[in-house]
Amino acid sequence: MASEASPAIWTAAPPRRGAFAFASLFAMESFARALVATVVSVQAHDLLLSSQKVSVLFTCVSIAVLVSTLSLPILFRHVPRRWIYTIGIIGLIVASLAFALHTLPGQVGGMYLRNIGTATLNISLSLYILDHIRKADLVRSEPMRLTFSAASWTIGPFLGVWLYETYGAWAPQALSIASSILVLTFFWYLRLNAHPVIRAATSGPQNPLANVGRFVSQPRLRLAWFIAFGRSCFWSTFFIYGALLMIEGGLGKEASGILISLSQLVLGTAYLFGKISERTGVRKVISLSFAVAAVAAIAAGYAGTEAPILAGAFLLVGAIANSALDGVGGIPYLRSVRAHERPQMTGVYRSYVDLSDLLPSFIFSFVLLYFPLGTVFYILGALMAVVGFVAWRYLPRTM
């Protein structure tokens, strides 16, 4: 197999891919992950029988994933990107095999491998998008990518929980494995090429701490990371504690799957918010979306397990706001990162996902020792308000 550095095969030969190709690939990958998304929380609760213990489990796994993610730029230096994407898919497959065991060790291993696999896929895809899509077109291509994935995230969470409840732990994992194989087949069919500027950048700093220092020294990247961290905190809290709220509110496991699926149905509005951003600017859409998400989260916390249906309705309002953030919230980073630093900086930037899993779970594991489940949404709402204010204050008006 020729090296990715060979321009004769992997730079000049494959055609440049457009937004449609990346949106299709992301939608297929999303379905493989969405099938397991709610099952992870439900199965963890079945094994541990406590929301507080589930928080501790997610905290421990997130710490391990964070350390691994910060080291991924080293992998990108030595391994061709197409193989890194392939490794990510294999990680999802092995994670599903571990989940299917329905044991605590299998749960821990599955969570770690699933998160690492997702990290490698997200970083690889982000780099490919930066290679193939002009920065001026990102405000259209990114919402399209989220819109295409809406069907995957609408069907997947409920279908996964239904299969889990009806046929057992192996059923959603078997379908996820089949979907992952389909993703890998389509990926290799696309023959995506890496930009020569990215390959030439391997002489840059590869020490994870040096990469973090370089990232933190750039104000635009810090701001982009904080915005991404805020929107990711909403989803990590929603997926874990929204599902647990349905269960502890007496509505059952399938209700948690329905809630997650309904929340993802609104991802189809991402394209609409992209169009709005073209006219009004990304800054206004991001700031207003955080404000709406803050109010919705606090209202959901007030309803709590005493009124789980009402709480779920408020969370869905917050999900609509967060779908706007999913559509355009990554644009500040994509427009700010320098071409020659993309692999290193994207590895650091991607840490927002791991920290959005780690910090809320860590905080909530203590909060839930003394306060009811609805309290986590009060904390989430406060965070959304802070991030929204920072975005409004510091994002350029022209963005």
Side-chain angles (χ1 to χ4, degrees):
M1 180 66 67
S3 168
E4 186 168 341
S6 172
I9 295 178
W10 292 102
T11 301
R16 290 182 67 86
R17 300 295 181 179
F20 182 83
F22 289 112
S24 300
L25 179 63
F26 185 68
M28 295 168 64
E29 174 202 317
S30 294
F31 185 69
R33 293 188 289 112
L35 284 164
V36 186
T38 310
V39 173
V40 173
S41 299
V42 171
Q43 184 167 297
H45 192 271
D46 284 346
L47 292 170
L48 297 173
L49 304 176
S50 164
S51 295
Q52 192 272 336
K53 291 180 180 178
V54 170
S55 279
V56 173
L57 173 61
F58 273 87
T59 299
C60 294
V61 172
S62 296
I63 292 173
V65 172
L66 175 61
V67 174
S68 301
T69 299
L70 290 176
S71 301
L72 283 178
I74 299 175
L75 185 65
F76 276 86
R77 181 183 186 186
H78 298 288
V79 181
R81 194 188 303 163
R82 62 188 180 277
W83 288 113
I84 295 178
Y85 192 93
T86 300
I87 290 170
I89 293 295
I90 293 173
L92 296 186
I93 293 173
V94 178
S96 289
L97 293 174
F99 282 129
L101 298 175
H102 202 264
T103 63
L104 186 56
Q107 180 77 14
V108 173
M111 290 171 63
Y112 175 79
L113 289 171
R114 180 176 183 271
N115 289 346
I116 286 296
T118 300
T120 58
L121 293 174
N122 286 352
I123 294 174
S124 299
L125 190 60
S126 294
L127 293 176
Y128 279 126
I129 288 172
L130 287 168
D131 290 348
H132 290 259
I133 305 295
R134 296 183 306 172
K135 288 186 177 183
D137 295 332
L138 290 172
V139 75
R140 289 189 293 272
S141 67
E142 285 299 283
M144 178 188 292
R145 186 163 64 94
L146 269 296
T147 300
F148 271 44
S149 70
S152 299
W153 285 103
T154 299
I155 298 170
F158 172 75
L159 178 59
V161 172
W162 181 81
L163 289 171
Y164 175 84
E165 285 288 282
T166 306
Y167 298 104
W170 63 270
Q173 308 304 335
L175 185 55
S176 180
I177 290 172
S179 302
S180 297
I181 294 173
L182 184 62
V183 173
L184 190 58
T185 302
F186 183 61
F187 169 75
W188 279 93
Y189 167 78
L190 290 176
R191 291 185 66 203
L192 297 175
N193 59 302
H195 195 282
V197 173
I198 303 305
R199 293 198 304 272
T202 57
S203 60
Q206 296 299 320
N207 182 288
L209 292 180
N211 292 336
V212 172
R214 176 61 183 157
F215 188 99
V216 172
S217 69
Q218 301 181 59
R220 288 284 184 90
L221 295 187
R222 293 200 306 266
L223 178 58
W225 185 95
F226 191 52
I227 291 171
F229 171 76
R231 67 183 172 90
S232 189
C233 280
F234 181 91
W235 285 128
S236 65
T237 304
F238 186 101
F239 270 70
I240 299 171
Y241 300 96
L244 296 178
L245 189 149
M246 296 296 104
I247 295 173
E248 296 196 358
L251 297 182
K253 298 172 185 176
E254 290 190 359
S256 66
I258 293 173
L259 175 66
I260 302 302
S261 289
L262 288 176
S263 74
Q264 303 308 290
L265 180 62
V266 302
L267 285 178
T269 62
Y271 188 77
L272 172 62
F273 286 115
K275 289 293 185 182
I276 295 174
S277 296
E278 288 185 59
R279 295 189 176 186
T280 66
V282 171
R283 172 176 173 266
K284 291 182 180 179
V285 172
I286 288 177
S287 302
L288 182 60
S289 297
F290 272 117
V292 173
V295 174
I298 293 172
Y302 183 78
T305 55
E306 298 296 320
I309 294 178
L310 183 60
F314 284 125
L315 287 177
L316 290 177
V317 173
I320 295 174
N322 225 53
S323 71
L325 296 171
D326 281 352
V328 301
I331 292 176
Y333 172 75
L334 295 173
R335 287 182 171 174
S336 301
V337 64
R338 294 180 172 90
H340 68 280
E341 293 182 320
R342 286 174 186 171
Q344 299 94 327
M345 296 303 98
T346 301
V348 178
Y349 175 71
R350 176 54 177 66
S351 67
Y352 77 81
V353 176
D354 305 311
L355 282 171
S356 69
D357 289 337
L358 169 61
L359 294 181
S361 296
F362 177 76
I363 294 171
F364 299 156
S365 63
F366 290 101
V367 169
L368 292 175
L369 287 173
Y370 307 101
F371 300 98
L373 184 58
T375 308
V376 304
F377 297 103
Y378 289 133
I379 299 173
L380 176 64
L383 174 63
M384 295 295 99
V386 170
V387 179
F389 173 78
V390 171
W392 177 261
R393 176 67 178 81
Y394 293 105
L395 270 179
R397 294 179 182 274
T398 55
M399 182 169 284

